[in-house]
């Protein structure tokens, strides 16, 4: 017995289970007879793009940065020259520092290793921070901070002055003057002229890993942005010279800008595509450097770039990126939205392939959803659900969301249905319907799905939660419960008094028999981070009767103290213990886990036993040190997807995408009580036992019914009994248990006790 006591001592007081789940990006997803290469990367909404060798294999890999959710996504190129295959590899993202506003991978020190430039940790302050890239012992690209870039030659400011990049702007970082080092071009703080920040590393014969910045020109390109129209003023003189650098006063422009410098005509100078927050299209300006004595000067403009082909039109602030995305040696153009508000969230990556050469480029439109066809992406705010729809014994995958962007600036939701084709150890889904049940026709903004029998007719109904807090109820009209549900009839969900149910914004429902009366109840999460409980009070089959019983179930508030918290509940089994837990997604992206509800008491507080369950974080926000304001969101769905005896978890996030995890750790029984001295209130005898085990309890365990569960040492549930109040004792038949050591767990409301038990024959 000494081993048992040692185990108990090590586990005493434990609440966190550790990393029970690990990522499982090998799970297969097929759509339209095509296997998606990055289905579980979590989707995109406002992607920025960069390429660089992440794993030191000599091939350029892909990095995507999402400005509003602070996410860095990394993809390894497993393809060949001219035929890249980008495979999601999230571990490389952990080697990046926390990124603000923009991300650039450029080899500024010319050592063949990508370096990193971004806005740094300055928040809303201007700035450019440079990091030196290096490969660690595992050949993973990592970074060390070099310095914040500043200059001291502007007589109109007190030095040192940081290189200015306005909040929500994106600068260009290229070798403007052809001297081999990296220069910077960005808009002025007023936003009308382009500033040229020259790197004097080459001129000063400094080591290549040095950067010395001087403000060289406050009117680069001899162009000024018009404050009202799409057009620019060409051959503009700002009357600056290299001694004073004092610009001619000009009107401020509205909005923000992202500068993409590129050689669009193959003549060796830099033209540029200007993305502006005020317009839905790109403006192209051609550089006539050769015609102007070697001085960068914009001489021609196209205010609607690609107007003679497929125009790069994207509501609200499109941004262009010039990079060789197909790895054929010729740089292409990607276009994506840079503004979160009223922005395209699915057809959000325009791809213009360079079908010519670098000296004679021809940018030919290819797709408006490049890369996205290889993801599961439901627009914005994905809500997954695992449910065996076709009654084959395997939980299928349904994905709802806040919706897809519409031309009128609103979102419209639909449901994706993926059939489960898995075998033990091999998860596989196949898309069956991208508008299941014709939800798109209902013009709903928000579709968070849950399924269960709410009208007590023995058949599973469906409820969808909307962004405005209301819910839609779909009655199952199938002839019996053994058939796939049919949900043709829908209505706004109302309570037993016929009042419209409104849970607050971002209603996230879950159907579960919470009070253990044999009827399924409704729990609804909301934007405020709380859960609302409606009891099923119907008494007649086919009767839908829901009564509000608790407006803050369990006194739960996720992401407490934040205006947007977005509680998304899951209630059920999630590991080998066989215990039902309440898991709550949140706006911060972490998962909260609660206990104490299993007895059916819906009026008490439920203890929180995890504030970051399994260390799952939908975008590594906590790793980077972001708070709950990072806006990642997490919406969990849990089931044994592939029938291997272990649970799997799929989590939806703000970007409309999904991540998938598998149970990688058998959970030991937690021997710590939920409240102090609870073990003193329960008793077992005889112990060791042979055939019959007598159990008794008093004090706190008399408040409500009690659940008794016996586990083996591996945490497998061997026996369970539920005893209704006001009983204070029972006997259990244990004659089928083999000789050995077990744990006997008592649960009643928020009270829990675990006592070691021996069986001896």
């Amino acid at each position: 017995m000494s081993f048992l006591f040692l185990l108990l001592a090590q586990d005493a007081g434990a609440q966190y289970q550790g990393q029970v789940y690990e990522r499982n990006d090998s799970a297969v997803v097929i759509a339209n007879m095509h296997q998606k290469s990055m289905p579980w990367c979590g989707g995109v909404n406002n992607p920025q793009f960069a390429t660089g060798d992440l794993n030191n294999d000599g091939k350029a890999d892909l990095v995507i940065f999402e400005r509003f959710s602070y996410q860095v996504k990394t993809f390894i190129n497993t393809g060949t020259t001219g035929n890249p295959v980008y495979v999601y590899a999230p571990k490389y993202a952990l080697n990046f520092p926390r990124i603000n506003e923009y991300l650039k991978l450029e080899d500024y020190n010319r050592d063949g290793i990508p370096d990193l430039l971004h806005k740094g940790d300055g928040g809303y302050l201007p700035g450019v921070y440079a990091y030196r890239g290096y490969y660690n012992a595992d050949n993973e690209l990592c970074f060390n901070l070099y310095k914040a870039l500043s200059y001291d030659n502007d007589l109109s400011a007190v030095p040192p002055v940081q290189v200015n990049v306005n909040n929500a702007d994106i600068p260009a970082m290229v070798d403007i003057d052809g001297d081999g080092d990296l220069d910077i071009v960005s808009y002025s703080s007023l936003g009308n002229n382009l500033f040229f920040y020259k790197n004097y590393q080459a001129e000063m014969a400094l080591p290549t890993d040095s950067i010395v910045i001087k403000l060289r020109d406050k009117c680069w390109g001899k162009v000024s942005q018009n404050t009202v129209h799409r057009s620019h003023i060409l051959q503009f003189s700002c009357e600056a010279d290299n001694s004073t650098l004092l610009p001619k006063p000009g009107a401020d422009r509205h909005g923000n800008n992202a500068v993409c410098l590129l050689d669009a005509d193959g003549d060796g100078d830099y033209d540029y595509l200007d993305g502006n927050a005020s317009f839905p299209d790109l403006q192209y300006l051609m550089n006539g450097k050769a015609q102007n004595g070697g001085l960068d000067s914009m001489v021609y403009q196209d205010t609607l770039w690609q107007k003679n082909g497929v125009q790069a039109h994207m509501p609200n602030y499109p941004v262009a990126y010039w990079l060789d995305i197909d790895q054929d040696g010729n740089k292409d153009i990607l276009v994506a939205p840079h503004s979160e508000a009223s922005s395209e969230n699915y057809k959000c990556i325009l791809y213009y392939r360079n079908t010519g050469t670098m000296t004679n480029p021809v940018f030919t439109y290819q797709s408006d959803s490049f890369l996205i066809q290889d993801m599961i992406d439901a627009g914005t705010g994905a809500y997954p659900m695992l449910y065996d729809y076709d009654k084959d014994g395997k939980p299928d995958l349904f994905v709802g969301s806040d919706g897809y962007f519409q031309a009128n600036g609103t979102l419209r939701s639909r449901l994706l249905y993926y059939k489960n084709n898995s075998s033990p150890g091999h998860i596989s889904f196949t898309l069956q319907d991208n508008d299941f049940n014709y939800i798109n026709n209902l013009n709903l903004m928000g579709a968070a799905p849950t399924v269960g029998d709410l009208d007590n007719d023995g058949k599973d109904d469906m409820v969808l939660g909307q962004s405005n807090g209301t819910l839609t109820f779909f009655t199952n009209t199938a002839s019996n419960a053994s058939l796939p549900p049919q949900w043709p009839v829908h209505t706004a969900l109302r309570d037993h008094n016929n009042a419209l149910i409104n849970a607050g914004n971002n209603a996230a429902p879950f159907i579960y028999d919470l009070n253990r009366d044999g009827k399924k109840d409704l729990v609804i999460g909301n934007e405020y981070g709380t859960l609302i409980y409606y009891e099923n009070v119907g008494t007649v089959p086919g009767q839908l009767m829901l009564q509000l019983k608790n407006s803050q179930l369990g006194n739960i508030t996720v992401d407490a103290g934040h205006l947007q918290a977005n509680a998304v509940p899951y209630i059920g089994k999630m590991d080998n213990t066989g215990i039902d837990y309440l898991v709550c997604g949140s706006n911060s992206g972490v998962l909260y886990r609660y206990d104490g509800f299993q007895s059916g008491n819906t009026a008490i507080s439920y203890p929180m036993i995890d504030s970051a369950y399994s260390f799952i974080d939908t975008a590594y926000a906590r790793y980077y040190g972001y708070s709950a304001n990072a806006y990642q969101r997490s919406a969990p769905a849990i089931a044994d997807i592939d029938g291997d005896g272990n649970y799997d978890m799929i989590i939806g996030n703000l970007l409309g995408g999904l991540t998938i995890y598998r149970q990688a750790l058998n959970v030991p029984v937690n021997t710590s009580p939920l409240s102090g001295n609870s073990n003193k209130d329960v008793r077992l005898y005889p112990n060791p036992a042979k055939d019959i085990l007598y159990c008794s309890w008093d004090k706190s365990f008399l408040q409500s019914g009690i659940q008794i569960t016996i586990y083996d040492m591996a945490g497998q549930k061997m026996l369970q009994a539920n005893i209704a109040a006001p009983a204070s004792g029972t006997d259990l038949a244990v004659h089928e248990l083999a000789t050995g050591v077990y744990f006997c767990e008592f649960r009643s409301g928020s009270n829990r006790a675990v006592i070691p038990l021996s069986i001896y024959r």
Side-chain angles (χ1 to χ4, degrees), residues 394-395 420 638-648:
K394 301 176 182 179
N420 186 347
I638 304 173
D640 180 1
I641 294 174
D642 57 354
D644 66 350
N646 294 313
Y647 283 85
D648 306 283

Side-chain angles (χ1 to χ4, degrees), residues 148-154 157-163 213:
L149 303 186
S150 61
Y151 57 95
D152 60 7
N153 67 314
D154 187 353
V158 178
V161 183
Q162 283 192 316
V163 171
I213 292 294

Side-chain angles (χ1 to χ4, degrees), residues 346-361:
Y346 184 80
K347 297 179 179 180
C348 59
I349 304 178
L350 307 183
Y351 173 30
Y352 294 86
R353 183 171 180 264
N354 185 354
T355 55
T357 64
M358 286 296 289
T359 56
N360 186 26

